[in-house]
């Protein structure tokens, strides 16, 4: 009897949920993206059999595919959703993010990509070990793959939670037997929609399984296709929206800056096609939004009660530190560097980098346009927070034209949802592969069980993928109140203070010793990690919902920030002091331990710098694997 | 990930692929060659990086020192927004293009230089 009642309760509940309003165009586009990703993963799982297939995709990928794949992996939820949200929220200052994401690649190309490729180490830990002949250093270097990786997965997970919450906002669990799933508002009342963590868990599960079964060979193909999905999904809706609402410049002109004299603007600007909507109180004012040194960079100084003029030097410092973090951080991202080795030779690697810069540069012109249009036509997002705030402007904006053009609005919103899926899925799977390889290969294969067979390692890879995926979902569930783009910036800052100094100094200075490199990398990286964590904890403590209660012990830090705005800026953007700190320590400690410079340093430097045509690498490997083995 | 590294070295240890023992006293292995090589590469990289850094760090400074100029409207954009949101990208592509062309030419030149040096020494 009991089971019969239960079954009826389930059927009634499902029936109610089924009758809710869901836009099936949006759901359909998203479902197709997910299905294609999974199908490609499984299909390539059949063809990738050997261990090296699994890890570096067999080293034979053409320039076009590889450039698309690198770009696909690089354009994360931060690029697709976060930048638009941040431009909408903070205005001009947020533009530094897309610019530095794209241009950081140049720095990588100029100083690091070529030498690292010639050296022939697959990953940063590989390089660390080979450059200093030190397995111990490898173990230290591996830690940061995980630190940076987890920091980078949190915003991807927020992207996932936000997108699913948007797609299923019409679902209503209230009054059904699933009402424990109904999300709570700030006052603890149940609301329609699905909970944020539910989306995080679903996406985490799907990708984890995909990576555990497919490995990286599948990922190369999937990443390349996903770049083009993302490019299509960000550009097509923008062209339509600009056609409806007027051009990029015209929409920017709606925001008056303090420098604009009103009569002059009226004369120069043509009659507008659409009037903007009124901004709520929570939104920043026009003149602060469109001008440099606005709400993003002056937040700490404003909280301390400084005037706009007094706050300006602080904002300049914030901007410089942000630039250093993003540009140097790009050069130290573990999951990006590994793809340089999938090029057949150095010339192909350089061509690939050029194409990557073009592909991602073109992409990054579009997200800020969403932010500008969102400010003018979706101002109600300013009033909401978490997964319902400006971070979803990319998804929500195309729906606006539904009133005029009917179904086209739904289709365009479906396309941007598909792009968002492609964004967080591709970056998350790339990170998962990096972190899982670090665990399966380095921690298990080298430290715990050096004698394990290839089959055992493959099995371990799968288990590690599941473990890392699980932790990512847990972390992702916590960070709903934080901005996607801000969190990615923190991952970059940690990379900038740890891997970037290691790579840069090891490639260009022969006097580096293992002890110097390790001291600098650990101190710089851990300092940046610590400051980022403290800032996040204090921000989460301000949240009005469940996370605010969870992190309430850290609320006191905010009083400290108010009294010390400079320290707040240096903690929020640590790169400006942590990168020089790491490099300085590297130099000092290396000088102190001068005697431990590797004996064959000249040969190592030759391998790093001499043209590949001279064949020095083969000679070097021969020496290293000489009679002793 | 040492698997690939090892398999490559195993291939090299294979007798069919082994080469005569390298002569370590030739020009390629000399201190002089390495120093010249690194100096030329670093010079190229630093000059490209300088061109990049001028705009990267110059733009915030311009915003700070000349706010009036940077707030001028150009087709609806403020000048500062136009540079950062649109023009920055092509500027960086040009630097990348120049660097890639020159560094490939540099490599060709270094190979020739190394061969000449070896020839002169023997």
């Amino acid at each position: 009897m009991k089971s019969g009642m239960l079954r009826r309760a389930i059927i009634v509940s499902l029936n109610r949920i089924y009758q809710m309003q869901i836009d099936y165009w949006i759901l359909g586009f998203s479902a197709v993206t997910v299905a294609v990703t999974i199908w490609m993963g499984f299909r390539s799982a059949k063809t990738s059999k050997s261990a090296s297939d699994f890890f570096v995709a067999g080293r034979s990928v053409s320039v076009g595919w590889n450039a698309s794949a690198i770009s696909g992996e690089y354009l994360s939820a931060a690029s697709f959703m976060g930048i638009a949200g941040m431009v909408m929220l903070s205005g001009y200052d947020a533009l530094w993010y897309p610019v530095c994401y794209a241009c950081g690649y140049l720095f990588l190309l100029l100083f690091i990509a070529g030498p690292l490729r010639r050296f022939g180490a697959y990953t940063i830990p590989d390089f660390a070990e080979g450059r200093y002949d030190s397995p111990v250093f490898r173990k230290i270097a591996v830690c940061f793959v995980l630190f940076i990786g987890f920091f980078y997965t949190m915003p991807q997970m927020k992207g996932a939670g936000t997108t699913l919450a948007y797609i299923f906002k019409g679902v209503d669990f209230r009054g059904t037997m699933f009402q424990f799933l109904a999300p709570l508002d700030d006052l603890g009342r149940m609301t329609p929609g699905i909970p944020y963590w539910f989306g995080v868990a679903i996406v985490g599960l799907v990708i984890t399984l995909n990576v555990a079964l497919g490995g990286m060979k599948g990922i190369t193909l999937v990443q390349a296709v996903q770049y083009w999905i993302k490019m299509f999904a960000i550009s097509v809706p923008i062209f339509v929206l600009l056609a409806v609402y007027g051009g990029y410049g015209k929409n920017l002109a709606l925001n008056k800056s303090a420098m604009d004299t009103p009569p002059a603007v009226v004369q120069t600007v043509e009659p507008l096609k659409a009037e903007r909507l009124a901004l709520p109180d929570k939104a920043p004012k026009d003149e602060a939004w469109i001008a440099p040194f606005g709400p993003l960079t002056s937040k700490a100084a404003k909280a301390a009660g400084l005037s706009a003029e007094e706050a300006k030097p602080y904002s300049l410092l914030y901007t410089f530190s942000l630039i250093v973090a993003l540009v140097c951080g790009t050069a130290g991202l573990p999951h990006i560097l590994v793809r340089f080795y999938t090029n057949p030779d150095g010339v192909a690697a350089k061509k690939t980098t050029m194409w990557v810069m073009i592909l991602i540069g073109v992409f990054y012109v579009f997200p800020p346009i969403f932010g500008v249009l969102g400010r003018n036509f979706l101002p109600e997002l300013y009033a909401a927070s978490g997964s319902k705030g400006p971070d979803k402007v990319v998804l929500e904006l195309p729906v606006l034209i539904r009133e005029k053009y009917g179904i086209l609005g739904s289709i365009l919103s479906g396309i941007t949802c598909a792009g968002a899926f492609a964004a967080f899925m591709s970056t998350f799977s790339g990170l998962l592969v990096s972190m899982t390889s670090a665990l399966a290969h380095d921690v298990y294969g080298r430290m715990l069980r050096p004698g394990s067979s290839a089959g055992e390692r493959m099995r371990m890879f799968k288990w590690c993928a599941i473990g890392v995926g699980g932790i990512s979902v847990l972390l992702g569930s916590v960070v709903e109140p934080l901005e996607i783009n801000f969190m990615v910036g923190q991952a970059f800052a940690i990379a900038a203070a740890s891997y970037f100094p290691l790579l840069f100094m090891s490639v260009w200075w022969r006097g580096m010793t293992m002890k110097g490199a390790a001291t600098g990398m650990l101190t710089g990286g851990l300092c940046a990690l610590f400051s980022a964590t403290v800032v996040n904890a204090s921000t989460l403590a301000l949240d009005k919902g469940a996370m605010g209660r969870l992190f309430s012990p850290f609320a006191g830090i905010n009083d400290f920030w108010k009294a010390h705005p400079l320290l707040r800026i240096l903690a929020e953007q640590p790169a400006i002091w942590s990168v020089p700190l790491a490099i300085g320590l590297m130099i000092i400690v290396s000088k102190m331990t001068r005697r431990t410079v590797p004996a064959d340093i000249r040969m190592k430097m030759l391998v790093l710098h001499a043209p590949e045509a001279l064949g020095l690498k083969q000679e070097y490997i021969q020496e290293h694997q000489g009679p002793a083995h | 990930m040492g698997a690939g590294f090892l398999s490559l070295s195993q291939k090299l240890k294979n007798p069919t692929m082994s080469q005569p023992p390298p002569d370590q006293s030739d020009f390629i292995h000399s201190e002089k060659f390495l120093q010249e090589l690194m100096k030329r590469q670093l010079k190229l990289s630093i000059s490209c990086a300088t061109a990049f850094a001028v705009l990267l760090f110059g733009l915030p400074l311009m915003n700070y020192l000349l706010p009036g100029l940077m707030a001028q409207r150009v087709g609806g954009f403020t000048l500062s927004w136009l540079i950062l949101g649109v023009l920055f990208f092509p500027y960086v592509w040009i630097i990348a293009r120049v660097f890639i062309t020159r560094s490939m030419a540099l490599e060709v030149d270094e190979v020739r230089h190394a061969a000449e040096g070896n020839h002169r020494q023997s």
Side-chain angles (χ1 to χ4, degrees):
Chain A
M1 246 358 248
K2 241 183 171 178
S3 74
M5 270 166 68
L6 186 68
R7 197 182 311 143
R8 261 190 62 186
I10 294 177
I11 291 169
V12 169
S13 299
L14 286 178
N15 219 3
R16 269 204 66 177
I17 294 165
Y18 179 74
Q19 285 163 358
M20 305 299 158
Q21 285 186 341
I22 298 176
D23 193 319
Y24 288 99
W25 281 100
I26 297 174
L27 186 63
F29 273 102
S30 312
V32 167
T33 311
V34 176
V36 167
T37 306
I38 297 174
W39 174 73
M40 285 167 96
F42 274 95
R43 207 189 67 138
S44 52
K46 283 183 200 151
T47 49
S48 69
K49 290 211 172 58
S50 77
S52 81
D53 256 8
F54 226 62
F55 291 118
V56 223
R59 272 206 159 199
S60 54
V61 184
S62 75
V63 169
W65 276 111
N66 210 17
S68 304
I70 295 177
S71 312
E73 190 159 1
Y74 192 62
L75 297 177
S76 70
S79 312
F80 199 88
M81 304 166 71
I83 291 171
M86 200 180 223
V87 168
M88 177 172 170
L89 201 60
S90 312
Y92 177 87
D93 288 330
L95 285 179
W96 285 106
Y97 279 91
V99 167
C100 295
Y101 286 153
C103 304
Y105 246 93
L106 180 68
F107 219 59
L108 182 68
L109 174 71
L110 294 181
F111 291 105
I112 292 167
L116 229 67
R117 229 210 82 83
R118 289 186 206 111
F119 202 74
Y122 285 151
T123 62
I124 299 176
D126 266 356
F127 174 74
E129 183 181 9
R131 170 70 174 74
Y132 298 101
D133 299 322
S134 166
V136 179
F137 192 30
R138 175 190 197 93
K139 292 172 194 170
I140 300 172
V142 163
C143 303
F144 279 94
V145 173
L146 300 175
F147 291 155
I148 299 167
F150 279 124
F151 250 87
Y152 211 166
T153 56
M154 291 193 287
Q156 310 310 322
M157 288 289 144
K158 168 154 186 206
T162 304
T163 310
L164 270 103
Y166 167 72
I167 294 173
F168 293 106
K169 66 179 172 183
V171 171
D172 197 344
F173 289 116
R174 289 175 304 174
T176 71
M177 66 172 301
F178 298 106
Q179 69 176 1
F180 64 91
L181 281 175
L184 303 176
D185 66 5
D186 290 350
L187 300 171
R189 290 172 307 204
M190 284 190 281
T191 56
I194 61 163
Y196 162 79
W197 60 263
F198 197 64
V200 172
I202 288 182
V203 172
L205 185 75
V206 167
I207 306 203
T208 303
L209 285 180
N210 201 34
V211 165
L213 297 170
M216 194 158 162
K217 184 131 186 173
I219 302 290
T220 303
L221 182 69
V222 177
Q223 302 283 23
V225 172
Q226 291 197 338
Y227 168 78
W228 292 103
I229 295 179
K230 280 179 260 193
M231 189 66 212
F232 178 77
I234 201 97
S235 56
V236 170
I238 277 293
F239 289 130
V240 176
L241 285 165
L242 289 183
V244 175
Y245 289 112
Y248 189 3
K250 213 178 270 177
N251 275 290
L252 264 179
L254 290 173
N255 297 280
K256 303 282 172 283
S257 82
M259 305 290 169
D260 290 327
T261 43
V265 172
V266 173
Q267 281 163 12
T268 50
V269 174
E270 301 159 41
L272 297 160
K273 276 190 190 169
E275 286 297 317
R276 67 189 292 191
L277 303 174
L279 292 169
D281 293 340
K282 261 189 156 181
K285 298 276 169 290
D286 275 359
E287 53 276 11
W289 185 84
I290 197 158
F293 313 126
L296 177 71
T297 53
S298 64
K299 195 169 52 194
K302 285 273 163 61
L306 298 180
S307 72
E309 253 338 277
E310 286 171 323
K312 259 180 111 183
Y314 288 98
S315 299
L316 185 66
L317 177 75
Y318 190 109
T319 310
F320 278 145
S321 193
L322 176 66
I323 294 173
V324 172
L326 297 179
V327 169
C328 297
T330 310
L333 285 182
H335 69 295
I336 294 300
L337 277 169
V338 79
R339 288 211 175 267
F340 276 95
Y341 306 110
T342 50
N343 288 302
D345 58 70
V347 175
K350 282 186 174 134
K351 280 188 189 153
T352 305
T353 317
M354 184 74 220
W355 275 110
V356 169
M357 294 190 57
I358 293 174
L359 291 180
I360 59 181
V362 170
F363 179 90
Y364 278 128
V365 173
F366 294 103
I369 308 179
F370 272 105
V372 173
L373 292 173
R375 177 175 172 83
N376 290 346
F377 303 106
L378 264 181
E380 67 264 28
L381 292 186
Y382 283 115
S385 62
S387 56
K388 294 185 176 64
D391 269 344
K392 70 166 182 173
V393 62
V394 170
L395 314 174
E396 191 86 63
L397 200 59
V399 180
L400 284 184
I401 64 168
R402 198 153 55 186
E403 284 167 24
K404 272 193 204 166
Y405 299 91
I407 207 120
L408 184 63
S410 296
I411 293 177
L412 288 178
S413 184
I415 290 174
T416 57
C417 281
F421 266 98
F424 53 71
M425 285 176 84
S426 60
T427 303
F428 181 48
S429 41
L431 285 166
L432 199 53
V433 169
S434 293
M435 290 195 278
T436 307
S437 314
L439 279 176
H441 238 290
D442 288 298
V443 179
Y444 177 78
R446 282 172 184 250
M447 296 179 210
L448 299 178
R449 298 248 343 248
S452 54
S453 69
E456 281 174 319
R457 284 183 198 196
M458 289 277 278
R459 212 170 310 129
M460 203 57 204
F461 184 93
K462 290 175 186 182
W463 284 113
C464 288
I466 292 167
V468 172
I471 297 173
S472 305
V473 168
L474 279 182
L475 287 173
S477 303
V478 173
V479 296
E480 187 189 356
L482 299 176
E483 271 176 85
I484 293 177
N485 210 24
F486 175 70
M487 287 188 275
V488 168
Q490 289 182 319
F492 275 66
I494 299 168
S498 54
Y499 279 154
F500 169 73
L502 167 74
L503 295 171
F504 182 77
M505 296 300 286
S506 304
V507 164
W508 293 103
W509 188 41
R510 63 165 75 189
M512 275 270 274
T513 64
M514 189 277 269
K515 288 194 179 106
T519 317
M521 183 183 78
L522 276 176
T523 315
L526 290 178
C527 282
L529 181 75
F530 178 74
S531 355
T533 313
V534 171
V535 168
N536 283 355
S538 67
T539 312
L540 284 171
L542 292 176
D543 180 47
K544 291 193 192 74
M547 287 311 142
R549 289 192 289 280
L550 189 62
F551 284 85
S552 57
F554 299 97
I557 305 172
N558 290 303
D559 298 328
F560 178 79
W561 295 142
K562 266 184 201 142
H564 303 91
L566 184 66
L567 288 180
R568 156 99 212 198
I569 288 174
L570 292 179
E572 196 174 316
Q573 292 300 340
I576 204 155
W577 56 271
S578 58
V579 176
L581 174 73
I583 293 180
L585 276 175
M586 283 176 178
I587 295 175
I588 294 169
V589 177
S590 295
K591 293 248 180 205
M592 277 158 52
T593 54
R594 201 174 299 147
R595 262 173 296 163
T596 57
V597 171
D600 58 345
I601 183 65
R602 191 197 295 167
M603 190 64 199
K604 285 188 200 296
M605 286 318 230
L606 270 174
V607 176
L608 280 166
H609 294 279
E612 279 163 286
L614 294 177
L616 287 159
K617 189 169 113 201
Q618 283 80 343
E619 195 183 295
Y620 173 76
I621 292 168
Q622 218 168 10
E623 268 171 37
H624 259 236
Q625 306 290 330
H629 285 256
Chain B
M1 279 182 253
F5 202 75
L6 275 179
S7 66
L8 184 59
S9 63
Q10 273 153 6
K11 259 183 227 160
L12 287 163
K13 269 201 285 185
N14 189 323
T16 54
M17 286 188 69
S18 72
Q19 297 156 346
D23 174 14
Q24 295 269 351
S25 62
D26 61 4
F27 178 69
I28 298 180
H29 293 85
S30 71
E31 193 60 44
K32 189 162 166 277
F33 175 71
L34 175 64
Q35 280 190 354
E36 277 176 10
L37 178 72
M38 282 180 67
K39 210 185 215 167
R40 288 180 71 180
Q41 287 180 350
L42 199 59
K43 211 177 133 198
L44 174 64
S45 293
I46 285 179
S47 53
C48 289
T50 310
F52 177 48
V54 165
L55 187 59
L56 194 65
F57 292 101
L59 187 60
L61 271 182
M62 292 283 282
N63 287 335
Y64 185 74
L65 300 172
L66 303 166
L69 173 71
M70 302 311 277
Q72 291 289 317
R73 293 283 176 166
V74 184
F77 294 86
T78 61
L79 182 59
S80 193
W81 192 298
L82 184 68
I83 295 174
L84 193 58
V86 182
L87 300 180
F88 214 106
F89 301 105
Y91 178 72
V92 168
W93 295 336
I94 294 168
I95 300 178
R97 180 81 230 162
V98 169
F99 173 77
I100 288 173
T101 323
R102 293 214 183 147
S103 76
M104 289 206 273
L106 188 84
E107 290 214 344
V108 172
D109 193 54
E110 284 299 339
V111 172
R112 196 178 44 82
H113 182 57
E116 273 172 17
N118 267 0
H119 187 70
R120 228 179 300 133
Q121 215 173 45
S122 56

